[in-house]
Amino acid sequence: MELDNDQCQLLLLHDSKIMQLIDVEVDDFQCLKQIKLEFNGEIGQVLWCGKSSFAIEQKLESSNNLSIYSLEGTSGSSQTEIMENTFNSTFSFSSDARFNTDIDGIRVFTRRSTSLLLPIQDASKSVLGLGSNEPGALLYGSAVDSKLQKQLLKAASIGMRRCQRPYDADKFVRICRLLRVLNALRLMGIPLTFTQLEELSPGQKQFLKNIL
């Protein structure tokens, strides 16, 4: 079983390959969803991947796989929701890979590298989704590529000037500064996401300010 980062919901995996999502904030606990899983191989860890998906580690002979399942699509009913076909995709890593839940994704460690699996944010879908008609005028830190960031910020700047409703320019400036900080940290070998940066304590933020 695995608690989420807010310690509000619990993932509980049964031998019958049923995953239950439990609300632990209510007095008697409440089962919100039951998800039927399909997988082969030995099960390793169960990990949260953001707030709306989870992953199951499958240990195979020559690789460690992460199968991602979505928790979206709630009906809003007070009854337990039974979900099927929530499987999204599988990521394959070397057999020495190790996984750890981060605040907004899953950190992957191998002998040669470390990487971070993140759910695709709505803002990213709006701007980068195929055939998307969404405005998507503001992206926080989902794009790691600095060239792509510049293109998106330029598009956002044009959108702000053409927007009929007033927009707080200070917010846009703040995002630009945050992206500059995140990019500088990545060059120093400290790959933080926007969410992780926002969750730092005042002392940790002051430390980063001192080293930049």
Side-chain angles (χ1 to χ4, degrees):
M1 56 184 176
E2 183 76 9
L3 269 173
D4 68 352
N5 186 67
D6 298 326
Q7 298 188 345
C8 298
Q9 295 181 335
L10 175 71
L11 289 171
L12 188 60
L13 179 61
H14 296 263
D15 293 337
S16 58
K17 295 184 179 180
I18 296 291
M19 180 71 77
Q20 288 185 312
L21 177 65
I22 309 295
D23 183 354
V24 298
E25 287 194 306
V26 296
D27 292 337
D28 298 327
F29 294 177
Q30 179 183 359
C31 180
L32 303 176
K33 300 176 188 289
Q34 288 190 170
I35 303 104
K36 290 185 177 181
L37 307 179
E38 295 182 4
F39 52 81
N40 298 312
E42 178 187 352
I43 299 176
Q45 301 181 78
V46 175
L47 307 108
W48 282 92
C49 186
K51 294 184 177 181
S52 59
S53 59
F54 66 90
I56 291 181
E57 177 189 6
Q58 299 172 256
K59 296 184 177 181
L60 306 178
E61 290 185 4
S62 59
S63 65
N64 275 5
N65 292 351
L66 276 183
S67 295
I68 309 295
Y69 294 82
S70 173
L71 291 171
E72 294 181 343
T74 179
S75 62
S77 171
S78 59
Q79 302 295 322
T80 300
E81 183 179 5
I82 300 177
M83 302 176 65
E84 297 187 40
N85 301 321
T86 65
F87 171 74
N88 285 352
S89 57
T90 294
F91 297 89
S92 183
F93 301 93
S94 58
S95 58
D96 67 328
R98 297 295 180 266
F99 310 105
N100 186 54
T101 300
D102 220 318
I103 189 171
D104 54 352
I106 297 175
R107 187 76 63 175
V108 182
F109 301 92
T110 67
R111 292 181 180 178
R112 297 185 177 182
S113 65
T114 177
S115 55
L116 181 64
L117 291 179
L118 294 171
I120 299 176
Q121 303 297 320
D122 290 339
S124 299
K125 294 178 184 178
S126 297
V127 174
L128 303 176
L130 183 63
S132 173
N133 293 319
E134 297 294 328
L138 181 62
L139 280 183
Y140 284 104
S142 56
V144 176
D145 188 343
S146 59
K147 292 183 179 179
L148 178 58
Q149 289 175 0
K150 291 179 181 178
Q151 294 175 0
L152 295 173
L153 290 173
K154 183 177 180 180
S157 178
I158 295 173
M160 287 169 53
R161 292 196 294 268
R162 296 186 177 183
C163 187
Q164 295 180 354
R165 59 185 180 183
Y167 185 83
D168 185 2
D170 291 339
K171 189 174 183 179
F172 180 79
V173 172
R174 177 175 177 269
I175 295 300
C176 292
R177 289 175 177 172
L178 285 174
L179 285 174
R180 192 176 297 116
V181 170
L182 291 172
N183 290 335
L185 289 174
R186 289 191 182 100
L187 292 175
M188 298 172 62
I190 309 176
L192 289 181
T193 64
F194 174 82
T195 303
Q196 293 167 353
L197 182 64
E198 290 290 277
E199 289 293 323
L200 294 179
S201 67
Q204 291 171 325
K205 290 181 179 179
Q206 183 61 44
F207 172 76
L208 293 180
K209 184 178 180 180
N210 293 338
I211 65 175
L212 290 176

